[in-house]
PDB file of all heavy atoms in Angstrom:
ATOM      1  N   LEU O  25      65.783  94.175  93.340  1.00  0.00           N
ATOM      2  CA  LEU O  25      65.884  95.269  92.391  1.00  0.00           C
ATOM      3  C   LEU O  25      65.909  96.592  93.145  1.00  0.00           C
ATOM      4  O   LEU O  25      65.142  96.801  94.073  1.00  0.00           O
ATOM      5  CB  LEU O  25      64.699  95.237  91.431  1.00  0.00           C
ATOM      6  CG  LEU O  25      64.745  96.236  90.289  1.00  0.00           C
ATOM      7  CD1 LEU O  25      65.954  95.982  89.411  1.00  0.00           C
ATOM      8  CD2 LEU O  25      63.475  96.168  89.469  1.00  0.00           C
ATOM      9  N   GLY O  26      66.777  97.464  92.761  1.00  0.00           N
ATOM     10  CA  GLY O  26      66.858  98.775  93.376  1.00  0.00           C
ATOM     11  C   GLY O  26      68.041  98.939  94.306  1.00  0.00           C
ATOM     12  O   GLY O  26      68.397 100.049  94.641  1.00  0.00           O
ATOM     13  N   ASP O  27      68.662  97.827  94.742  1.00  0.00           N
ATOM     14  CA  ASP O  27      69.854  97.964  95.571  1.00  0.00           C
ATOM     15  C   ASP O  27      70.992  98.536  94.741  1.00  0.00           C
ATOM     16  O   ASP O  27      71.105  98.277  93.545  1.00  0.00           O
ATOM     17  CB  ASP O  27      70.286  96.609  96.127  1.00  0.00           C
ATOM     18  CG  ASP O  27      69.388  96.140  97.250  1.00  0.00           C
ATOM     19  OD1 ASP O  27      68.541  96.934  97.686  1.00  0.00           O
ATOM     20  OD2 ASP O  27      69.535  94.990  97.666  1.00  0.00           O
ATOM     21  N   ALA O  28      71.829  99.305  95.384  1.00  0.00           N
ATOM     22  CA  ALA O  28      72.965  99.896  94.679  1.00  0.00           C
ATOM     23  C   ALA O  28      73.972  98.811  94.303  1.00  0.00           C
ATOM     24  O   ALA O  28      74.105  97.813  95.008  1.00  0.00           O
ATOM     25  CB  ALA O  28      73.638 100.919  95.574  1.00  0.00           C
ATOM     26  N   PRO O  29      74.680  98.985  93.196  1.00  0.00           N
ATOM     27  CA  PRO O  29      75.721  98.012  92.842  1.00  0.00           C
ATOM     28  C   PRO O  29      76.765  97.943  93.953  1.00  0.00           C
ATOM     29  O   PRO O  29      77.070  98.953  94.582  1.00  0.00           O
ATOM     30  CB  PRO O  29      76.332  98.575  91.558  1.00  0.00           C
ATOM     31  CG  PRO O  29      75.401  99.614  91.081  1.00  0.00           C
ATOM     32  CD  PRO O  29      74.585 100.062  92.245  1.00  0.00           C
ATOM     33  N   ASN O  30      77.286  96.772  94.188  1.00  0.00           N
ATOM     34  CA  ASN O  30      78.262  96.598  95.258  1.00  0.00           C
ATOM     35  C   ASN O  30      79.500  97.460  95.035  1.00  0.00           C
ATOM     36  O   ASN O  30      80.129  97.894  95.984  1.00  0.00           O
ATOM     37  CB  ASN O  30      78.643  95.120  95.367  1.00  0.00           C
ATOM     38  CG  ASN O  30      79.090  94.762  96.761  1.00  0.00           C
ATOM     39  OD1 ASN O  30      78.593  95.315  97.736  1.00  0.00           O
ATOM     40  ND2 ASN O  30      80.012  93.853  96.857  1.00  0.00           N
ATOM     41  N   TYR O  31      79.852  97.687  93.792  1.00  0.00           N
ATOM     42  CA  TYR O  31      81.026  98.497  93.497  1.00  0.00           C
ATOM     43  C   TYR O  31      80.836  99.958  93.891  1.00  0.00           C
ATOM     44  O   TYR O  31      81.790 100.704  93.950  1.00  0.00           O
ATOM     45  CB  TYR O  31      81.369  98.450  92.010  1.00  0.00           C
ATOM     46  CG  TYR O  31      81.906  97.125  91.544  1.00  0.00           C
ATOM     47  CD1 TYR O  31      81.395  96.509  90.423  1.00  0.00           C
ATOM     48  CD2 TYR O  31      82.936  96.491  92.224  1.00  0.00           C
ATOM     49  CE1 TYR O  31      81.887  95.299  89.980  1.00  0.00           C
ATOM     50  CE2 TYR O  31      83.439  95.284  91.800  1.00  0.00           C
ATOM     51  CZ  TYR O  31      82.908  94.689  90.672  1.00  0.00           C
ATOM     52  OH  TYR O  31      83.400  93.500  90.247  1.00  0.00           O
ATOM     53  N   SER O  32      79.601 100.408  94.118  1.00  0.00           N
ATOM     54  CA  SER O  32      79.357 101.818  94.409  1.00  0.00           C
ATOM     55  C   SER O  32      79.358 102.122  95.902  1.00  0.00           C
ATOM     56  O   SER O  32      79.077 103.240  96.293  1.00  0.00           O
ATOM     57  CB  SER O  32      78.022 102.245  93.802  1.00  0.00           C
ATOM     58  OG  SER O  32      76.965 101.630  94.499  1.00  0.00           O
ATOM     59  N   THR O  33      79.685 101.158  96.738  1.00  0.00           N
ATOM     60  CA  THR O  33      79.613 101.376  98.184  1.00  0.00           C
ATOM     61  C   THR O  33      80.859 102.094  98.697  1.00  0.00           C
ATOM     62  O   THR O  33      81.929 102.015  98.084  1.00  0.00           O
ATOM     63  CB  THR O  33      79.476 100.035  98.920  1.00  0.00           C
ATOM     64  OG1 THR O  33      80.635  99.244  98.665  1.00  0.00           O
ATOM     65  CG2 THR O  33      78.234  99.280  98.479  1.00  0.00           C
ATOM     66  N   PRO O  34      80.736 102.777  99.823  1.00  0.00           N
ATOM     67  CA  PRO O  34      81.910 103.432 100.417  1.00  0.00           C
ATOM     68  C   PRO O  34      83.015 102.430 100.784  1.00  0.00           C
ATOM     69  O   PRO O  34      84.191 102.779 100.747  1.00  0.00           O
ATOM     70  CB  PRO O  34      81.350 104.100 101.671  1.00  0.00           C
ATOM     71  CG  PRO O  34      79.905 104.287 101.410  1.00  0.00           C
ATOM     72  CD  PRO O  34      79.502 103.133 100.531  1.00  0.00           C
ATOM     73  N   ARG O  35      82.645 101.188 101.103  1.00  0.00           N
ATOM     74  CA  ARG O  35      83.677 100.191 101.415  1.00  0.00           C
ATOM     75  C   ARG O  35      84.535  99.887 100.189  1.00  0.00           C
ATOM     76  O   ARG O  35      85.732  99.651 100.308  1.00  0.00           O
ATOM     77  CB  ARG O  35      83.046  98.917 101.940  1.00  0.00           C
ATOM     78  CG  ARG O  35      82.653  99.042 103.379  1.00  0.00           C
ATOM     79  CD  ARG O  35      82.432  97.675 103.987  1.00  0.00           C
ATOM     80  NE  ARG O  35      82.160  97.829 105.393  1.00  0.00           N
ATOM     81  CZ  ARG O  35      81.020  97.479 105.959  1.00  0.00           C
ATOM     82  NH1 ARG O  35      80.063  96.949 105.236  1.00  0.00           N
ATOM     83  NH2 ARG O  35      80.847  97.644 107.246  1.00  0.00           N
ATOM     84  N   THR O  36      83.919  99.866  99.013  1.00  0.00           N
ATOM     85  CA  THR O  36      84.694  99.620  97.798  1.00  0.00           C
ATOM     86  C   THR O  36      85.647 100.782  97.541  1.00  0.00           C
ATOM     87  O   THR O  36      86.797 100.569  97.163  1.00  0.00           O
ATOM     88  CB  THR O  36      83.757  99.415  96.595  1.00  0.00           C
ATOM     89  OG1 THR O  36      82.896  98.317  96.863  1.00  0.00           O
ATOM     90  CG2 THR O  36      84.539  99.129  95.327  1.00  0.00           C
TER      91      THR O  36
END
Side-chain angles (χ1 to χ4, degrees):
L25 186 61
D27 285 352
N30 207 34
Y31 290 131
S32 69
T33 62
R35 281 197 176 117
T36 301

